[in-house]
């Protein structure tokens, strides 16, 4: 049975591939044991197809990555680049017979420069490691996805990851100044800059950010840093509906406030977090809005925002007493997804971002969808960005429940597009939202995107089947 | 002689082109009088080749722009998109026999939304018009090139324009969320978003920003806005050399300050501004550094920064007393280029951006180049960005002086690259720096950039001969 695998690659093919890879990689960096390689098949998305890798490689140098890509091109083998596999769209899932190219061993911080305010890093550096290293130098690397303790900078770049900081500090894309990229054929491209400004030619750097490993393999990044701001202070406001909290967000932004965080948890999410972590969040609330400022006088800003919350119908407004209490509220917000998973079963996580003026419409629409499909949907949101994460919960052993969950998941994206939004604010497309990407982009842009892909990857070897379907070439 | 023009287009060709254009444009929007069309041949760069346009069109609608591009594609005529022609690299210069596509009549502000913090505009809106319109609503559109009173948003997008604000607020690219673009073949592409976040597919929006009209014609833009900050307060510090001022910049950034402006004028520039506008700037200084803050307590920030200037060797540190005095200092800075031109003849303006830690090296290098070529070079700089504008002054009637000026201009770019910088921080490549773009990018990136160009403009009709040389196709 091992002679001809499901994937169409034979054991002999696999052995030849591994041998070829070992000519430029140390033995321990080439994994072929199927029990081991299988553990690299998936990221954290549910319900996304994944194949069996032929081999997993763990290079430590740029030259080794070049060798991997030259091998892949020579043998026409698809390559799936991976970081920590914390993604939520299946973008890092293996395809059958592929080389999984894990960058986690390239994890050095090469430089931190407080004058140029840049860090130069390898792709496998964990977000939290970088964040702490720059904080020790009085600086700040803002992008902070919920998985920041484990996710890698390379993965953050691949998905243009967001986080809690974005309402004030923007997403990963805004911090990537320059990249070294190994191209599909093994050539090394240096693009972008380490200067504060630069407009020499087309912005290829930004093209790689969010490209989900489908245009090249990032092997080095120059990242912009900011001076460390004062510690933020958080306020929690309770509302009788998510929609009312959305109205508060509208008022706060309209009045020109610049919060460093503005997050929403609906009642379902709040109760799940309480059940899991006993955090003492208000058990009966229907929506909890967290607003923070890292300004010189955060208490004054919170007081002004508290009044706006009350104007929008908040039933309770509680500023945190100190940094510790603020951190506890942030921690509660970060627990939203694990808590819903622990309490309510398997989840599918939407990532719809709407113009923030339409946030209340979005919340009401999700409630209607939940009722229509008789499906439990917990909602958390980076409310200040209009970026909602309706989390559809279901029992995967009940086929009808699964069917209804999938229908609800899709209808939430349709709603987002109707409200002028996007199907993905920060999680990316992967395999989970391919069909929806085509709907969002429309035929003209989709065709251009495919052609851009062909420029960088004419053989269709890099992460085939992600973002959009088949490129021709040998990608399956 | 009018029968066969130098360009190889005949008068009959030109008449047929104009007739074709008039089938979809009002008569007054198609200009063919050579005296009139000649006035659209140049932007503001010196020493850049420019051809004679066959026709100038002034569309008012997206459909009219589509008609122009369909006509150009059908007849294989090159198209040069133009805004206010305030560019400094020849990127908007006509090529012989081209259609000049001026967007200045598409000048409507379509929407200003204080909750989503976006403005939706046509490309011909003047930067200052937009800035004032959003200021009336309590908001702020930061990008402020020195030509902001006349330059258009479309031109700003084409060059990814910077300005004085960038040290705190970044360049135009960071404010472009979404674009409507008419492609070379006349199809309309909508790319990007109006939401705060969005990662659906490759970032084509950013690819258009800074592409100098060579990938498509921007007909609508969704721009991000910020809440209006407090008025800034400026400090002026005198130094005995530009290099010493560069050391102050290094200290200020290293200590984590976030000035809203940090500009440098060398002694030559200061004296030129005094001679032209009698502004009472210190006549004997060798470098004047302007630093501003728009924080809640700018006076305190200026005091701290003033001490760092003294530490770096400032001979005099004078905070402005009020907003009016601050505005006067800003005005002096904006006059640098016109003053050098008025006083010292024709100019070639470098736009080299270096890592700000290398600013002093850059200033010393420029001084050495000035001595080597016996050429007057006035230096002003967006010092906080490391973006220097050495302005090479010369008498265009003296061939040897012209030769030495050009050599100095080039050697400054070589120096910038040696220091890890870029040949262009904000002015773009145009025709002035084509050869240098190839040197900065190297062969791998240059080839990829050409291939990207071919995806969007397979016939090479859009602004041919800008950024890099010939694309094949019919572009000359």
């Amino acid at each position: 049975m091992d002679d001809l695998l499901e994937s169409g690659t034979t054991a002999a093919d696999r052995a030849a591939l591994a041998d070829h890879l070992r000519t430029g990689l140390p033995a321990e960096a080439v994994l072929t044991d199927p029990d081991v390689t299988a553990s690299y098949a998936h990221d954290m998305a549910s319900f996304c197809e994944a194949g069996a890798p032929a081999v997993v490689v763990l290079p430590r140098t740029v030259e080794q990555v070049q060798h991997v890509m030259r091998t892949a091109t020579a043998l026409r083998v698809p390559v799936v680049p991976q970081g920590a596999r914390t993604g939520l769209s299946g973008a890092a899932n293996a395809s059958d017979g592929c080389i999984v190219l894990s960058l986690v061993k390239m994890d050095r911080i090469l430089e931190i420069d407080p004058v140029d305010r840049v860090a130069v890093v390898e792709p496998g550096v964990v977000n939290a490691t970088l964040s702490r290293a720059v904080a020790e130098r009085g600086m700040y690397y803002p992008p902070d996805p919920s998985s920041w303790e484990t996710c890698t900078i390379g993965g953050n770049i691949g998905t243009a990851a967001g986080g809690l900081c974005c309402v004030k500090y923007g997403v990963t894309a805004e911090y990537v100044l320059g990249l070294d990229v190994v191209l599909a054929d093994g050539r090394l491209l240096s693009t972008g800059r380490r200067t504060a400004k630069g407009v020499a030619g087309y912005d290829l750097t930004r093209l790689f950010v969010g490209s989900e490993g489908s245009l090249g393999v990032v092997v080095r990044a120059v990242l912009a840093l900011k001076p460390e701001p004062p510690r933020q202070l958080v306020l929690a406001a309770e509302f009788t509906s998510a929609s009312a909290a959305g109205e508060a967000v509208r008022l706060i932004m309209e009045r020109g406030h610049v919060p460093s965080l503005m997050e929403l948890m609906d009642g379902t999410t709040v109760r799940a977090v309480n059940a899991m972590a006993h955090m003492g969040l208000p058990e009966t609330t229907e929506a909890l809005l967290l607003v923070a400022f890292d300004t010189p006088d955060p208490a004054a800003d919170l007081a002004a925002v508290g009044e706006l919350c009350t104007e929008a119908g908040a039933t309770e407004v509680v500023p945190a007493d100190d940094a510790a209490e603020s951190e506890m509220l942030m921690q509660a917000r970060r627990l939203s997804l694990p808590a819903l998973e622990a309490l309510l079963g398997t989840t599918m996580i939407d990532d719809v971002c709407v113009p923030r003026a339409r946030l209340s419409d979005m919340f009401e629409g999700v409630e209607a969808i939940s009722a229509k499909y008789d499906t439990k949907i917990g909602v958390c949101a980076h409310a200040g960005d209009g970026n909602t994460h309706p989390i559809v919960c279901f029992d995967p052993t009940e086929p009808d429940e699964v069917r209804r969950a999938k229908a609800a998941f899709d209808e939430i994206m349709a709603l987002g597009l109707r409200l002028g939004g996007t199907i993905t604010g920060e999680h990316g497309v992967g395999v989970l939202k391919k069909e929806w990407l085509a709907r969002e982009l429309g035929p003209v842009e989709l065709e251009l995107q495919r052609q851009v892909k062909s420029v960088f990857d004419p053989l269709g070897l890099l992460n085939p089947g992600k973002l959009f379907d088949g490129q021709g070439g040998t990608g399956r």
Side-chain angles (χ1 to χ4, degrees), chain A:
Chain A
M1 166 242 158
D2 196 45
D3 226 3
L4 182 60
L5 300 170
E6 308 86 329
S7 61
T9 58
T10 64
D13 287 344
R14 285 172 39 171
L17 172 61
D19 286 346
H20 203 310
L21 288 166
R22 286 195 189 97
T23 62
L25 285 165
E28 72 274 13
V30 181
L31 312 180
T32 54
D33 179 340
D35 291 341
V36 175
T37 59
S39 69
Y40 288 81
H42 276 284
D43 66 17
M44 285 178 61
S46 311
F47 283 92
C48 288
E49 59 191 62
V55 57
V56 173
V57 292
L58 294 154
R60 288 181 182 270
T61 68
V62 173
E63 292 69 27
Q64 290 174 359
V65 174
Q66 291 183 282
H67 172 71
V68 172
M69 292 313 304
R70 285 193 202 104
T71 302
T73 291
L75 303 181
R76 301 290 194 271
V77 180
V79 174
V80 177
Q82 282 185 353
R85 298 197 314 280
T86 54
L88 295 167
S89 308
N93 281 10
S95 44
D96 273 336
C98 77
I99 300 169
V100 163
L101 173 48
S102 172
L103 282 312
V104 295
K105 300 284 189 196
M106 291 180 69
D107 61 354
R108 290 178 303 162
I109 297 174
L110 302 172
E111 191 187 342
I112 294 174
D113 184 323
V115 176
D116 291 330
R117 293 184 183 166
V118 296
V120 183
V121 303
E122 292 185 330
V125 171
V126 169
N127 182 300
T129 306
L130 176 64
S131 296
R132 292 188 181 115
V134 303
E136 275 172 27
R137 307 283 301 271
M139 285 177 289
Y140 177 39
Y141 178 69
D144 61 344
S146 289
S147 56
W148 75 299
E149 290 280 7
T150 50
C151 64
T152 65
I153 296 296
N156 295 171
I157 292 171
T159 54
L164 306 187
C165 72
C166 306
V167 63
K168 180 165 181 178
Y169 294 102
V171 299
T172 298
E174 288 162 60
Y175 295 87
V176 182
L177 299 180
L179 291 174
D180 284 0
V181 178
V182 173
L183 298 171
D185 58 12
R187 285 180 300 168
L188 181 64
L189 170 70
S190 278
T191 183
R193 55 185 214 269
R194 76 170 278 156
T195 51
K197 292 152 82 180
V199 294
Y202 304 140
D203 191 344
L204 299 190
T205 307
R206 193 66 171 250
L207 203 54
F208 286 104
V209 179
S211 67
E212 303 185 1
S214 69
L215 298 179
V217 182
V218 170
V219 290
R220 203 184 68 112
V222 182
L223 303 173
L225 305 175
K226 291 195 176 288
E228 200 168 28
R231 298 253 339 228
Q232 62 184 2
L233 214 55
V234 182
L235 160 158
E238 291 179 47
F239 294 85
T240 54
S241 70
S243 170
E247 172 62 13
V249 170
R250 198 187 64 72
L251 279 174
I252 291 166
M253 297 308 282
E254 192 176 54
R255 301 293 166 87
H257 291 286
V258 185
S260 52
L261 166 150
M262 186 143 60
E263 295 288 321
L264 178 132
M265 302 159 73
D266 75 350
T268 303
T269 308
V270 166
R271 287 182 282 278
V273 169
N274 269 345
M276 184 165 95
H278 310 289
M279 285 203 140
L281 299 176
E283 188 68 24
T284 57
T285 193
E286 285 313 315
L288 196 65
L289 186 68
L290 307 178
V291 188
F293 286 87
D294 60 4
T295 47
D297 187 359
D301 290 309
L302 287 183
V305 155
E307 282 177 27
L308 294 176
C309 287
T310 304
E311 191 179 326
T315 53
E316 193 87 51
V317 175
V318 185
D321 282 332
D322 53 29
E325 208 173 298
S326 293
E327 187 45 46
M328 188 279 290
L329 286 167
M330 300 268 294
Q331 199 48 39
R333 167 62 185 86
R334 288 186 204 270
L335 282 176
S336 299
L337 176 58
L340 285 166
E341 282 184 332
L343 200 71
L344 297 169
T346 301
T347 58
M348 293 179 78
I349 305 152
D350 264 305
D351 176 36
V352 169
C353 190
V354 295
R356 61 172 82 86
R358 308 304 301 273
L359 208 48
S360 294
D361 297 332
M362 183 69 197
F363 292 137
E364 285 169 16
V366 170
E367 215 171 291
I369 291 167
S370 170
K372 175 177 169 184
Y373 291 102
D374 188 21
T375 299
K376 198 84 177 168
I377 304 178
V379 177
C380 58
H382 308 303
D385 307 318
N387 192 180
T388 69
H389 292 313
I391 299 169
V392 184
C393 307
F394 58 100
D395 178 349
T397 65
E398 292 286 343
D400 190 63
E401 216 172 289
V402 171
R403 189 193 54 76
R404 284 183 281 117
K406 285 189 172 170
F409 178 78
D410 279 358
E411 197 156 322
I412 287 167
M413 284 191 276
L415 171 64
L417 291 180
R418 261 203 321 280
L419 294 174
T422 170
I423 58 159
T424 177
E426 58 179 10
H427 293 171
V429 175
V431 292
L432 190 62
K433 298 165 208 154
K434 278 197 288 190
E435 182 196 327
W436 285 91
L437 181 69
R439 289 173 69 158
E440 176 166 340
L441 298 184
V444 175
E445 181 157 11
L446 192 65
E447 186 189 327
L448 288 168
Q449 298 227 352
R450 283 173 184 276
Q451 287 179 283
V452 167
K453 160 83 172 168
S454 293
V455 165
F456 290 88
D457 183 22
L459 299 173
L461 297 177
L462 275 166
N463 216 4
K466 310 298 163 57
L467 288 164
F468 14 74
D469 276 315
Q471 288 298 311
T474 62
R476 49 200 68 233

